[in-house]
Amino acid sequence: MSLIEITEVKKRFGDNEVLKGINIDVEPGEVIAIIGKSGSGKSTLLRCINGLETIDEGSISVAGAQLLPDELHLKALRLKVGMIFQGFNLFPHLTAGRNVMLSQMVVRKTPKAEAEAMAKKMLERVGLGHKFDAYPDQLSGGQQQRVAIARALAMQPIALLCDEITSALDPELVNEVLAVVKELASEGMTLLMVTHEMRFARDVCSRVVFMHQGRVHEIGPPGEVFANPKTAELKQFLGVVH
Amino acid sequence: MSLIEITEVKKRFGDNEVLKGINIDVEPGEVIAIIGKSGSGKSTLLRCINGLETIDEGSISVAGAQLLPDELHLKALRLKVGMIFQGFNLFPHLTAGRNVMLSQMVVRKTPKAEAEAMAKKMLERVGLGHKFDAYPDQLSGGQQQRVAIARALAMQPIALLCDEITSALDPELVNEVLAVVKELASEGMTLLMVTHEMRFARDVCSRVVFMHQGRVHEIGPPGEVFANPKTAELKQFLGVVH
Amino acid sequence: MNYAFDFGWLADYWPVLLKGIGITVELTLVGGVLGVSLGIACAWARALGPAWLKPVVAAYVEMIRNTPFLIQLFFVFFGLPALGLRMGELQAANLAMVINLGAYGCEIIRAGIQATPKGQFEAGASLGMSRIQTFWYVVLIPALQRIWPALSSQIVIVMLGSAAVSQIAAEDLTFAANFIQSRTFRAFETYFAATLIYLALAIVLRQLLRGLGWTIFPKRAAR
Amino acid sequence: AIQPAHADALATIEAGKLIRIAVPQDFPPFGSVGADMAPKGYDVDVAKLIADKLGVKLELVPVTSANRIPYLQTNKVDLVISSLGKNPEREKVIDFSVAYAPFFNGVFGPADIAVKDAKDLSGKTIGVTRGAVEDLELTKIAPADASIKRYEDNNGTISSFLSGQVDVIATGNVVAAAILARNPPKKPEIKFLIKNSPCFIGLNKNEPALLAKVDAIITEAKKGGALDAISEKWLGTKLPADL
Amino acid sequence: MNDFTTWDILRNLLLAARWTVLLSLVSFVGGSLAGLALLFARIGKGRLGPAFAKTYIELFQGTPLLMQLFLAFFGLGLFGIDVPAWLAAGLALILWTAAFLAEIWRGCVESVAKGQWEASSSLGMGYLQQMRWVILPQALRVAVPPTVGFSVQVVKGTALTSIIGFVELSKAGTMVTNATFEPFTVYGFVALIYFCLCWPLSKSSQILERKLNVAHRNH
Ligand SMILES: Nc1ncnc2c1ncn2[C@@H]1O[C@H](COP(=O)(O)OP(=O)(O)OP(=O)(O)O)[C@@H](O)[C@H]1O
Ligand SMILES: Nc1ncnc2c1ncn2[C@@H]1O[C@H](COP(=O)(O)OP(=O)(O)OP(=O)(O)O)[C@@H](O)[C@H]1O
Ligand SMILES: [Mg+2]
Ligand SMILES: [Mg+2]
């Protein structure tokens, strides 16, 4: 049984059908890169998996449990699947440490001391142990994104969804974030990431999904997909992004 | 005599010396790329040349006239040197055409008909003749940036300063803006541009300035600078940006 | 000028004035704390609450913001007893101020909540927090920080507006001024002194609110 | 503390053929408004009487207890006829004429409250209109543990009584009668009369001519029965002999 | 004693409400002009202008309007300056309105992105040109809703002019209550009339705000 099973998922915004029947199965430990042009539905797909958008047709199941749109099921789902955004979305009024502690204490009712220990550990893991007491605006973009990763990890998810987590960063800062992701991948975390970093996708991912106009247009191991794009659309896309 | 002479320019923000003695002479028609890490002082240098920041030491002269920080001298300077920003900074309450016309009419007291003709011409030049009556929020980022270029050109400056004018754009839109800049360069406009587009710098610029910690660390034709970086810092910088 | 100012009476009436200051301060404190709390609750209801609650809160807010405070006060003090709800003038004054600031605070705080980037709600949700938890732990503090200056001004306005409570015999600063001038007929000196005291209170209150802002919000600009 | 702005206010009045008199409009029966919003009441009629006798035009200026004295002091009016009571502090600031109106004020309350004299007010709440004569008098005689609530105007006092916010009120008998006429659930009964301390007309200090003239007019009106008529009309009874 | 019919009550209140409207208009128009001048002083360069404007705003926002009216009318009278009541009321209301509007508008000017100042400087515009052509037009759009919203406060603020003899809506309410002893009818009407005057203003301010927010999203 796959860890995440996405079956015939459709999603409309008004008249605009953004996902037109998506099928992907993700095995535990897989690292999947989702690429595609702007507007092709990449973000929407991740948001559906995390329950931030409801789906109109099809089904999504995570670790065997069906995704249902009520608060209880959603909460259970979100404890299994973490999500990290392009805009970091750190809580600006809390220190890095508190950012990581908050959801543990509020959602899992973890005692403070334990949450703090976990926060320390996770911040260490992303190389930011010394920034425990810094506020988000005292951190560089790359550091903020790493705190966001630590925050998601502290909830001990079984899979992590990443939506263009490096594209708001200066080129110099991209690498420090990708290094963290690479390490997570090597430790066996299941990852679904939307990314424009083709080199990274090639080096780290087990499979690449190319989305086009709301469909999975091509899918396969990066060696194949990048070396032998089968469709004209993918060829053109790979040309544009160089 | 050079068109722009920057001599021993120093600039401090409080205790933070951001420019530590800059010397660059720019000949008419030169196209100069300024590269360097974030915080190395690239923007500050351009802003000093345009009089948006006052300098603490040294001197800057443009077309033989010294840069002095009073309204009259500043205005004269700004008629000679145009500047374009990363954030476009179009006036949101005016159409594209009006954006280009405004400063001509207000600063140069050009009659309206004449300003309008000039605006049409400049918008044509950046390929946006048909967008004369569009408001900024009806334009894509690339189109907005091209209007900003037209706006600066309409003042008929003898040199143009560009601060990362493509870095707020989606990859697909970068090219349309760079194409416009390339054409300006080929028509003999003097250009100083901060950019992360190394390929563009290599292809179009006559000289590349690498700034590091408030100093001009290396300077030379792109062939030399990119092929044979002399310092470890430049090597590392070029490595990072790939 | 044909009037000789004489502040000698001040010594005799100092206790009255002091008591008036005390009551004005107390009204402002209670009204401020409870009023802002009510404002937060209403702002939550209007921005994020259940559909049926929104029009109720909207009606309350519109009623209060579009009628004079004095009349609200009269209805609380003279009107509510008809419904069997009797309270002293201080409680009535406090209640009216809370209701009043609650409505104004609601609109101000709501603006702060609505300026919250969508990503903050989504980050909260994707960490498994419920909507209420997200509001309470994630959204509220930055929202308050965003509108703190406006809220502070409103609290000062309410402090100055509390003068109206003298009409229901609550013995605040304005009551004290009116009482003194009704005995001494020295209206100018009395009102002049009262004005200066109000000014001092307003300046102090503003500083206190600024200080409070410094302590509850981390030292950075909310975005 | 006041020097006259003009050498003689009376001369100015006579020269200008106009007298400006401050009257209340929120303190019936001394001053309120009719359906046409024109002032009426005891004080208004006295103002008319004085203007008549002076043979000048009358300009009525409606005032409240907060601004009546400032109007006088800034020479925006010549006289204040606003059921003023006298006390030494007030006398330092303005002058008073001879008494022009009696004071039929008492403490009123519902039947089930036992109050016979000032001592019985102990522990009670009493509503009164701030700055009115009854306020001054009540403050003198009420025991220390009586709680006096001072409202802005008669309406506040009455409303406080009717809504049960106070146990008893101190007010004029005519006002109490007006409440009774409305047949409220709570009927005010007279408990005891407050000591008779009449009302005076206020005018600026150092205006001996005007003061003398006003005193003369009032004294004559008392003798001639004009003031009795006004009293009958508004207070329902003739002037007491000792006024 | 009570010769008022319900119609008399309402009629008299409505007649008095004309003063409320007139005073509101005067304070609003005058206050806008004075507020604009104050705004320029507040955000201008130099030291004197901003310092003056700051003190002014602190003073007028920090004291009750009632006291301001009292001192404008009687205080000046005390110094032998005989200001007519309408002038004192107009002046005090205008000065008070100006203080608040200047502060509201300052927020709007400061909300215009810094890049707009820089872009217009780099095109060679002077301070006044920037203000006139670039900054104020943008600030104005943001300023409309809070300005209209504040007008509600002005309408209610005019009630305080009764201290210097104006018989506007609130005062008429008090006078009629004291003649009729029917506070609930009278104050009910008073509240209703205020609501009818103020609610359209509040509502239009909200609608404008919503429109603006939509417009902003397109940027
Ligand atoms: N909340 C929404 N309401 C309406 N339409 C939406 C909404 N969110 C997304 N869309 C539309 O859905 C389509 C897919 O959007 P999506 O954000 O998934 O694209 P994407 O592949 O992530 O693009 P990008 O690379 O620009 O992030 C777009 O056409 C977008 O306009
Ligand atoms: N207005 C200012 N006040 C204080 N410090 C400033 C100001 N503007 C810039 N600095 C500082 O000056 C230094 C150089 O900034 P500058 O913007 O010139 O760098 P840059 O090379 O343009 O970087 P980037 O690539 O990120 O745009 C930085 O350390 C920055 O923090
Ligand atoms: Mg996306
Ligand atoms: Mg820069």
Side-chain angles (χ1 to χ4, degrees):
Chain A
M1 199 192 62
S2 306
L3 189 69
I4 302 177
E5 289 177 5
I6 302 166
T7 319
E8 279 305 319
V9 164
K10 295 191 181 173
K11 170 70 188 171
R12 274 181 294 275
F13 288 112
D15 287 345
N16 183 10
E17 189 163 43
V18 174
L19 300 181
K20 298 175 179 156
I22 303 281
N23 290 292
I24 309 176
D25 288 352
V26 184
E27 303 303 318
E30 263 201 305
V31 177
I32 294 192
I34 303 175
I35 61 174
K37 280 214 297 193
S38 179
S40 56
K42 309 179 296 291
S43 297
T44 307
L45 178 61
L46 287 200
R47 294 165 59 82
C48 285
I49 301 175
N50 197 232
L52 287 173
E53 308 279 359
T54 53
I55 58 179
D56 294 317
E57 278 175 51
S59 74
I60 296 177
S61 77
V62 175
Q66 197 77 17
L67 167 54
L68 293 172
D70 58 289
E71 277 248 337
L72 223 84
H73 279 88
L74 275 180
K75 187 177 153 182
L77 168 83
R78 285 168 179 159
L79 292 180
K80 291 186 225 148
V81 181
M83 181 148 178
I84 310 161
F85 304 85
Q86 169 173 0
F88 325 150
N89 293 339
L90 291 187
F91 306 137
H93 60 301
L94 301 178
T95 59
R98 288 264 156 194
N99 258 282
V100 183
M101 288 160 68
L102 180 67
S103 57
Q104 299 178 61
M105 289 164 62
V106 168
V107 180
R108 285 206 198 279
K109 315 286 182 212
T110 315
K112 189 174 168 202
E114 215 173 290
E116 196 167 337
M118 171 65 96
K120 282 238 167 67
K121 197 172 113 194
M122 288 304 151
L123 284 174
E124 293 290 358
R125 189 160 163 193
V126 299
L128 288 174
H130 58 297
K131 292 291 185 185
F132 193 92
D133 289 320
Y135 281 93
D137 65 347
Q138 299 168 324
L139 299 175
S140 77
Q143 292 171 330
Q144 287 187 51
Q145 192 59 288
R146 285 187 280 158
V147 174
I149 296 173
R151 187 172 68 175
L153 290 178
M155 299 299 281
Q156 299 176 286
I158 54 181
L160 215 49
L161 312 175
C162 307
D163 191 359
E164 300 197 28
I165 57 173
T166 57
S167 53
L169 300 178
D170 289 338
E172 298 106 281
L173 304 174
V174 169
N175 291 330
E176 68 184 47
V177 172
L178 289 183
V180 169
V181 176
K182 203 163 173 175
E183 210 180 296
L184 289 178
S186 72
E187 288 168 13
M189 173 66 78
T190 310
L191 286 164
L192 259 87
M193 49 192 304
V194 174
T195 184
H196 284 308
E197 300 290 326
M198 296 303 152
R199 207 154 60 168
F200 180 80
R202 194 190 317 250
D203 295 353
V204 178
C205 295
S206 44
R207 278 195 293 168
V208 173
V209 173
F210 172 58
M211 287 189 64
H212 186 69
Q213 293 185 346
R215 290 213 168 75
V216 174
H217 213 67
E218 293 197 27
I219 184 167
E224 243 170 65
V225 169
F226 287 124
N228 291 314
K230 289 194 196 74
T231 57
E233 288 81 7
L234 180 53
K235 272 182 198 137
Q236 195 200 346
F237 176 76
L238 292 175
V240 166
V241 188
H242 58 94
Chain B
M1 197 192 60
S2 307
L3 189 68
I4 302 178
E5 289 178 4
I6 302 165
T7 318
E8 279 304 321
V9 164
K10 296 191 180 173
K11 170 71 187 170
R12 271 180 296 275
F13 289 112
D15 286 346
N16 182 11
E17 189 164 43
V18 174
L19 299 181
K20 297 175 181 157
I22 303 281
N23 291 292
I24 309 177
D25 288 352
V26 183
E27 302 303 319
E30 263 200 305
V31 177
I32 294 192
I34 303 174
I35 62 174
K37 282 214 299 191
S38 180
S40 55
K42 307 182 295 294
S43 297
T44 307
L45 177 60
L46 286 201
R47 294 165 60 81
C48 286
I49 301 176
N50 197 233
L52 288 173
E53 308 281 0
T54 53
I55 58 179
D56 295 317
E57 279 175 50
S59 74
I60 296 179
S61 76
V62 175
Q66 197 77 16
L67 166 55
L68 293 171
D70 58 290
E71 278 250 338
L72 224 84
H73 279 87
L74 275 181
K75 187 175 153 183
L77 167 81
R78 285 167 179 160
L79 292 179
K80 288 187 226 148
V81 181
M83 181 149 179
I84 312 164
F85 304 84
Q86 169 173 2
F88 325 149
N89 294 341
L90 291 187
F91 306 136
H93 59 301
L94 301 177
T95 60
R98 289 265 157 193
N99 258 282
V100 183
M101 287 161 68
L102 180 66
S103 55
Q104 298 178 62
M105 288 163 64
V106 169
V107 180
R108 284 209 197 278
K109 316 286 181 211
T110 316
K112 189 173 169 206
E114 214 172 291
E116 197 167 336
M118 171 66 97
K120 282 236 167 65
K121 196 172 115 193
M122 288 305 150
L123 284 173
E124 293 289 358
R125 188 160 165 193
V126 298
L128 289 174
H130 57 298
K131 292 291 186 186
F132 193 92
D133 289 320
Y135 280 91
D137 62 355
Q138 299 167 323
L139 300 174
S140 76
Q143 291 171 330
Q144 287 189 50
Q145 192 59 289
R146 284 187 282 157
V147 174
I149 295 174
R151 186 172 68 175
L153 289 179
M155 299 298 281
Q156 300 175 286
I158 53 179
L160 216 48
L161 313 175
C162 307
D163 191 0
E164 300 198 29
I165 57 173
T166 59
S167 52
L169 300 178
D170 289 337
E172 296 107 286
L173 304 175
V174 169
N175 291 330
E176 66 184 48
V177 172
L178 289 183
V180 168
V181 176
K182 202 163 173 172
E183 208 181 298
L184 289 178
S186 72
E187 288 169 12
M189 172 65 80
T190 309
L191 285 164
L192 258 87
M193 48 194 304
V194 174
T195 184
H196 284 308
E197 299 289 326
M198 295 303 150
R199 206 153 60 166
F200 181 81
R202 193 189 318 250
D203 295 352
V204 177
C205 296
S206 44
R207 276 195 294 170
V208 173
V209 173
F210 171 59
M211 286 190 62
H212 186 68
Q213 294 184 346
R215 291 214 168 75
V216 174
H217 214 65
E218 292 197 29
I219 184 166
E224 242 169 64
V225 170
F226 288 124
N228 292 314
K230 289 195 198 72
T231 57
E233 288 82 7
L234 180 52
K235 272 182 198 136
Q236 196 201 344
F237 176 77
L238 292 175
V240 166
V241 186
H242 55 99
Chain C
M1 171 164 144
N2 52 19
Y3 185 83
F5 280 94
D6 175 6
F7 284 93
W9 52 270
L10 255 176
D12 296 342
Y13 285 99
W14 193 234
V16 181
L17 220 44
L18 264 187
K19 183 178 178 204
I21 294 172
I23 289 190
T24 292
V25 168
E26 188 237 286
L27 285 173
T28 307
L29 277 183
V30 175
V33 171
L34 296 182
V36 170
S37 311
L38 179 64
I40 290 173
C42 291
W44 169 81
R46 268 198 100 169
L48 307 167
W52 61 268
L53 197 54
K54 288 184 184 178
V56 178
V57 177
Y60 151 68
V61 168
E62 295 298 329
M63 281 240 303
I64 298 302
R65 298 204 322 152
N66 293 300
T67 53
F69 175 60
L70 181 63
I71 290 177
Q72 295 157 17
L73 190 66
F74 280 167
F75 278 98
V76 168
F77 187 65
F78 296 129
L80 287 187
L83 306 175
L85 205 69
R86 173 159 311 119
M87 59 194 101
E89 65 277 358
L90 278 182
Q91 286 134 292
N94 268 321
L95 181 62
M97 285 177 71
V98 169
I99 290 174
N100 191 269
L101 182 56
Y104 281 97
C106 170
E107 287 308 276
I108 296 172
I109 297 167
R110 183 167 70 119
I113 292 174
Q114 283 172 341
T116 305
K118 206 166 133 239
Q120 293 288 310
F121 290 98
E122 298 192 335
S126 72
L127 286 168
M129 290 189 222
S130 68
R131 286 169 57 87
I132 300 258
Q133 285 173 332
T134 305
F135 171 73
W136 186 250
Y137 293 106
V138 174
V139 174
L140 182 58
I141 298 287
L144 282 179
Q145 182 172 19
R146 236 170 259 131
I147 47 79
W148 194 247
L151 195 59
S152 303
S153 298
Q154 189 61 43
I155 294 173
V156 173
I157 290 173
V158 164
M159 192 270 283
L160 295 175
S162 73
V165 304
S166 65
Q167 302 235 358
I168 59 165
E171 301 180 354
D172 76 322
L173 179 53
T174 297
F175 179 93
N178 282 329
F179 178 80
I180 293 167
Q181 78 87 18
S182 81
R183 298 299 137 114
T184 62
F185 280 2
R186 295 203 168 271
F188 298 108
E189 290 92 333
T190 319
Y191 287 148
F192 189 66
T195 306
L196 285 186
I197 296 171
Y198 271 118
L199 183 60
L201 286 178
I203 291 172
V204 170
L205 181 59
R206 207 177 274 285
Q207 292 308 320
L208 280 179
L209 287 168
R210 189 170 298 162
L212 187 64
W214 277 106
T215 50
I216 40 182
F217 307 123
K219 289 139 205 67
R220 23 148 308 275
R223 280 263 85 207
Chain D
I2 298 279
Q3 287 89 48
H6 313 278
D8 183 357
L10 181 61
T12 317
I13 291 166
E14 282 172 341
K17 293 251 162 275
L18 177 75
I19 186 163
R20 299 157 307 165
I21 302 183
V23 292
Q25 80 296 63
D26 52 5
F27 197 64
F30 289 95
S32 66
V33 291
D36 54 356
M37 296 299 272
K40 62 173 194 177
Y42 190 113
D43 289 345
V44 178
D45 283 358
V46 172
K48 285 179 182 154
L49 179 89
I50 289 176
D52 261 3
K53 297 289 173 198
L54 283 171
V56 298
K57 258 186 67 193
L58 170 64
E59 184 185 320
L60 290 173
V61 179
V63 294
T64 64
S65 76
N67 65 16
R68 53 193 180 186
I69 303 308
Y71 264 105
L72 182 66
Q73 291 173 331
T74 53
N75 284 311
K76 295 183 197 292
V77 297
D78 304 304
L79 299 177
V80 175
I81 307 183
S82 178
S83 51
L84 295 180
K86 218 169 20 178
N87 74 7
E89 280 178 302
R90 290 179 171 186
E91 275 179 297
K92 278 188 223 153
V93 182
I94 60 170
D95 273 350
F96 292 95
S97 72
V98 297
Y100 76 95
F103 183 73
F104 291 115
N105 282 356
V107 169
F108 297 81
D112 56 349
I113 284 195
V115 171
K116 287 199 192 59
D117 56 21
K119 283 201 303 294
D120 293 343
L121 290 175
S122 164
K124 302 266 185 305
T125 20
I126 309 121
V128 67
T129 303
R130 181 178 59 233
V133 192
E134 56 265 34
D135 179 12
L136 300 183
E137 296 301 325
L138 187 73
T139 309
K140 280 188 231 155
I141 60 172
D145 63 344
S147 149
I148 303 178
K149 303 290 176 199
R150 299 179 176 86
Y151 297 94
E152 185 85 3
D153 52 22
N154 266 352
N155 168 59
T157 311
I158 295 168
S159 298
S160 73
F161 176 74
L162 292 179
S163 61
Q165 296 286 10
V166 294
D167 302 318
V168 295
I169 51 174
T171 188
N173 52 352
V174 185
V175 175
I179 304 177
L180 267 178
R182 304 195 54 80
N183 201 19
K186 263 181 122 171
K187 297 200 175 23
E189 285 177 0
I190 181 84
K191 298 298 181 186
F192 65 90
L193 273 176
I194 299 176
K195 187 184 125 249
N196 186 349
S197 155
C199 308
F200 306 85
I201 295 173
L203 66 171
N204 274 327
K205 284 211 169 288
N206 300 324
E207 294 289 355
L210 184 59
L211 179 60
K213 187 78 190 170
V214 170
D215 279 348
I217 293 173
I218 297 294
T219 312
E220 200 222 287
K222 277 183 201 163
K223 279 196 204 114
L227 217 49
D228 263 332
I230 295 176
S231 176
E232 287 258 28
K233 179 174 167 198
W234 295 106
L235 305 180
T237 168
K238 282 196 191 331
L239 290 179
D242 59 349
L243 187 74
Chain E
M1 183 159 214
N2 186 0
D3 43 5
F4 278 79
T5 62
T6 305
W7 165 241
D8 282 332
I9 294 176
L10 186 58
R11 184 175 53 93
N12 283 318
L13 292 179
L14 285 172
L15 288 177
R18 292 179 309 177
W19 276 111
T20 301
V21 173
L22 183 69
L23 283 168
S24 305
L25 284 177
V26 167
S27 12
F28 206 71
V29 173
S32 299
L33 295 176
L36 199 64
L38 198 57
L39 169 70
F40 270 92
R42 179 69 183 82
I43 62 178
K45 298 183 181 120
R47 293 171 148 266
L48 228 57
F52 164 78
K54 256 169 122 163
T55 315
Y56 175 100
I57 290 168
E58 184 90 57
L59 200 64
F60 279 82
Q61 290 195 350
T63 53
L65 177 56
L66 183 81
M67 307 283 175
Q68 292 168 25
L69 282 158
F70 184 90
L71 294 176
F73 187 53
F74 297 113
L76 289 180
L78 212 54
F79 289 85
I81 309 167
D82 193 27
V83 261
W86 60 266
L87 186 59
L91 213 62
L93 281 169
I94 285 172
L95 296 181
W96 176 78
T97 308
F100 279 88
L101 285 181
E103 203 55 9
I104 291 173
W105 292 343
R106 181 173 72 99
C108 298
V109 167
E110 285 175 357
S111 76
V112 175
K114 198 165 144 259
Q116 296 288 318
W117 287 98
E118 298 195 335
S120 43
S121 307
S122 74
L123 287 168
M125 292 189 209
Y127 178 72
L128 288 178
Q129 290 173 332
Q130 290 177 302
M131 278 302 253
R132 164 67 189 83
W133 297 104
V134 177
I135 305 301
L136 285 186
Q138 293 180 58
L140 202 66
R141 281 165 44 103
V142 204
V144 171
T147 306
V148 176
F150 177 70
S151 65
V152 173
Q153 306 305 312
V154 177
V155 173
K156 294 199 270 174
T158 57
L160 299 168
T161 54
S162 63
I163 187 80
I164 59 175
F166 274 94
V167 182
E168 42 59 64
L169 183 50
S170 284
K171 180 66 189 171
T174 326
M175 286 164 65
V176 174
T177 334
N178 273 295
T180 60
F181 295 144
E182 286 188 47
F184 290 106
T185 319
V186 178
Y187 286 127
F189 278 139
V190 171
L192 191 68
I193 298 174
Y194 270 113
F195 189 85
C196 292
L197 289 176
C198 295
W199 193 67
L201 293 173
S202 313
K203 201 70 205 162
S204 54
S205 142
Q206 285 163 14
I207 292 171
L208 284 167
E209 193 148 7
R210 216 166 298 142
K211 268 198 182 147
L212 250 162
N213 279 343
V214 171
H216 259 250
R217 244 169 254 140
N218 297 338
H219 280 211

